[in-house]
């Protein structure tokens, strides 16, 4: 292992995919929290970078897979029933990997949305070895849904329930930890004030905010928002109304008071109801998704058949056009030949009418008698 041990402090940035956690992580790195050595490169969906450790993401994915869960799953799978031995192996690998990926003895920021589902395992592995705190990013669920539908071709129902699962797991998994909640819309509209509020909970940043205010402001820009919805729209949305709107309202209250009992009780109630209904919802949405996939498959096959027939018609039309062009050429040649023949006939007639032809053209020529 490289490095001098674990970081002196770890900030876990928790939040659903497409919730602004990448921008927040980058801002925290400017404020003195170390980033991993092996960063995932920026891509089409996030050109500024994800600021995540590639090997750490692979490790998290592997643990989820062992529980029959993938990142896009809102079901529980077997996460609560992972064998103790497997969990201990993961915790050991996690400590070793963080030691390799981060500078020992320095504060670090760790971000991967999958950690929302793995907070209890991270706490078990790290909390007795180094201080671990959490910052939970909250973004309007309608914005997250719109982003996932566009980026991942996900159905709105799955995207909505995925947002709910990640946020509920992040809150329940971090219960009892030092944690701050930050709203994405406030983070990009007033980044300096939002970060000052965070620092009152997690403690002073290693680098003073005023010293990097311009860089932080540039990172946390309103230009990051590709989708924008209001809190009222969540309440009145047919899909979000109920569990999702209740959870979003409760989360926004926790931004101002992370330990407020009423919103925490709301989140516990929503999670209890959601967990109880997950099995049935999974079956219903699974059947719907299967039917939708079959419909898309048939639609794609029909589209391919139409494209093939369209191409065949085009080829036949081209052949007909070629035949027509050839026939026209032959007709033009015949017309030219006819015109030439007619011209020759006119010349012949002209010759026959000439005096010379009248004298010599119709009788055999004979030599004069004097020459005989």
């Amino acid at each position: 292992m490289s490095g001098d041990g674990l970081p002196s402090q770890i900030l876990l940035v928790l939040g659903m995919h497409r919730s602004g956690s990448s921008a927040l992580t980058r801002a925290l790195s400017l404020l003195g929290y170390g980033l991993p050595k092996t960063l995932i490169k920026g891509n089409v969906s996030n050109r500024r970078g994800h600021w995540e450790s590639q090997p750490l993401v692979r490790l998290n994915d592997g643990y989820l897979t062992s529980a029959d869960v993938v990142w896009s799953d809102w079901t529980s799978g077997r996460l609560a029933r992972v064998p103790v031995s497997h969990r201990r192996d993961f915790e050991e690998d996690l400590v070793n990997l963080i030691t390799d990926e981060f500078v020992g003895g320095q504060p670090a920021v760790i971000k991967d949305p999958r950690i929302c589902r793995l907070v209890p395992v991270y706490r078990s592995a790290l909390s007795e070895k180094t201080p671990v705190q959490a910052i939970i990013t909250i973004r309007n669920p309608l914005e997250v849904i719109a982003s996932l539908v566009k980026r991942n071709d996900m159905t709105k129902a799955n995207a909505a329930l995925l947002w709910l699962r990640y946020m509920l797991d992040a809150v329940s998994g971090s219960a009892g930890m030092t944690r701050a909640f930050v709203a994405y819309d406030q983070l990009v509209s007033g980044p300096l004030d939002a970060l000052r509020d965070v620092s009152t909970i997690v403690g002073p940043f290693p680098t003073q905010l005023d010293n990097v205010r311009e860089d932080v402001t540039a990172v946390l820009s309103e230009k990051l928002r590709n989708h924008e919805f209001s809190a009222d729209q969540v309440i009145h949305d047919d899909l979000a109304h109920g569990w999702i709107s209740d959870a979003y309202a409760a989360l926004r209250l926790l931004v101002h008071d992370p330990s407020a009992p009423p919103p925490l009780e709301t989140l516990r109630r929503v999670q209890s109801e959601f967990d109880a209904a997950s099995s049935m919802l999974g079956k219903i949405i699974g059947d719907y998704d299967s039917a939708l996939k079959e419909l898309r498959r048939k639609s794609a096959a029909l589209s391919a058949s139409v494209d093939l027939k369209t191409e065949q018609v085009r080829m036949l039309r081209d052949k007909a056009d070629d035949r027509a062009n050839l026939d026209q050429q032959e007709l033009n040649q015949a017309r030219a030949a006819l015109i030439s023949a007619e011209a020759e006939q006119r010349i012949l007639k002209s010759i026959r009418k000439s005096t010379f032809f009248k004298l010599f053209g119709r009788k055999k020529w004979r030599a004069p008698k004097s020459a005989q």
Side-chain angles (χ1 to χ4, degrees):
M1 296 185 299
S2 62
D4 301 319
L6 286 169
S8 60
Q9 175 196 5
I10 293 177
L11 273 186
L12 293 179
V13 173
L14 307 176
M16 172 58 190
H17 298 266
R18 319 304 294 166
S19 290
S21 56
S22 295
L24 174 59
T25 300
R26 177 56 178 148
L28 290 170
S29 74
L30 295 171
L31 289 165
Y33 293 92
L35 290 168
K37 298 173 184 176
T38 315
L39 287 170
I40 294 177
K41 295 180 180 179
N43 51 32
V44 175
S45 66
N46 197 339
R47 298 188 184 278
R48 296 191 178 192
H50 296 272
W51 311 106
E52 299 173 11
S53 163
Q54 191 171 56
L56 187 62
V57 170
R58 285 199 295 264
L59 183 67
N60 293 337
D61 265 333
Y63 189 81
L64 290 174
T65 300
S66 71
D68 293 332
V69 176
V70 295
W71 75 266
S72 55
D73 246 325
W74 50 266
T75 59
S76 296
R78 295 187 297 106
L79 279 171
R81 302 189 300 278
V82 172
V84 174
S85 60
H86 186 77
R87 176 168 171 158
R88 286 175 179 168
D89 288 342
F90 174 81
E91 292 176 5
E92 182 179 349
D93 290 341
L94 178 63
V95 171
N96 291 336
L97 196 153
I98 290 176
T99 302
D100 281 344
E101 280 287 283
F102 295 87
V103 177
Q106 300 294 322
V109 56
I110 297 179
K111 172 253 176 181
D112 173 17
R114 296 163 184 79
I115 300 175
C116 289
R117 312 221 49 194
L118 302 174
V119 179
V121 193
Y122 269 66
R123 293 178 67 177
S124 176
L126 299 169
S127 60
E128 293 184 1
K129 299 177 176 64
T130 189
V132 181
Q133 300 171 317
I135 303 177
I136 300 177
T137 59
I138 305 159
R139 187 175 184 183
N140 187 307
L142 297 183
E143 296 178 8
V144 174
I145 292 167
S147 184
L148 288 173
V149 168
K150 180 180 179 180
R151 188 190 74 169
N152 299 96
D153 195 26
M154 194 177 290
T155 63
K156 288 185 177 181
N158 272 315
L161 294 177
L162 192 62
W163 178 91
L164 186 62
R165 173 58 66 193
Y166 270 66
M167 299 313 300
L168 291 174
D169 280 6
V171 174
S172 62
S174 62
M177 291 177 63
T178 298
R179 63 184 180 185
F181 294 81
V182 58
Y184 178 71
D185 54 349
Q186 296 173 7
L187 191 64
V188 297
S189 64
L192 301 181
D193 290 337
L195 288 170
R196 286 193 185 96
D197 291 341
V198 168
S199 69
T200 62
I201 298 171
V202 301
F205 298 133
T207 299
Q208 290 187 10
L209 183 56
D210 287 339
N211 293 342
V212 290
R213 58 187 301 148
E214 291 183 3
D215 293 333
V216 168
T217 302
V219 168
L220 299 171
S221 167
E222 283 276 14
K223 295 178 181 179
L224 293 172
R225 303 186 76 170
N226 296 320
H227 308 278
E228 188 169 355
F229 294 88
S230 68
D232 286 341
Q233 285 176 287
V234 180
I235 297 173
H236 299 293
D237 185 85
D238 290 339
L239 183 62
H241 181 71
W243 287 339
I244 293 172
S245 60
D246 289 351
Y248 182 53
L251 288 165
R252 289 183 69 84
L253 290 174
L254 293 175
V255 172
H256 307 290
D257 184 357
S259 59
L264 290 173
E265 180 55 38
T266 296
L267 292 171
R268 282 191 289 268
R269 189 254 311 163
V270 170
Q271 183 155 27
S272 176
E273 294 173 357
F274 182 37
D275 288 344
S278 287
S279 178
M280 180 181 64
L281 283 173
K283 180 67 170 63
I284 294 172
I285 294 181
D287 290 345
Y288 169 78
D289 284 347
S290 296
L292 183 60
K293 287 178 182 178
E294 179 63 15
L295 182 62
R296 286 177 174 174
R297 185 192 66 79
K298 290 181 178 179
S299 176
L302 180 60
S303 178
S305 177
V306 170
D307 289 344
L308 177 60
K309 286 180 170 53
T310 301
E311 179 63 16
Q312 291 173 339
V313 169
R314 186 192 65 77
M315 292 175 63
L316 289 172
R317 185 175 294 152
D318 289 345
K319 287 182 179 180
D321 290 343
D322 291 342
R323 182 68 258 176
N325 290 335
L326 184 59
D327 291 344
Q328 185 64 44
Q329 289 177 5
E330 293 175 348
L331 180 59
N332 290 339
Q333 290 174 356
R335 285 176 177 170
L338 179 60
I339 291 172
S340 178
E342 290 175 344
E344 290 176 356
Q345 286 180 354
R346 285 195 297 271
I347 293 171
L348 184 57
K349 287 180 181 180
S350 176
I351 291 173
R352 286 174 176 173
K353 290 179 180 179
S354 68
T355 304
F356 179 85
F357 186 82
K358 287 179 180 181
L359 291 175
F360 303 105
R362 298 190 180 188
K363 51 178 74 175
K364 187 175 181 181
W365 181 83
R366 293 180 182 180
K369 289 181 180 183
S370 58
Q372 291 181 350

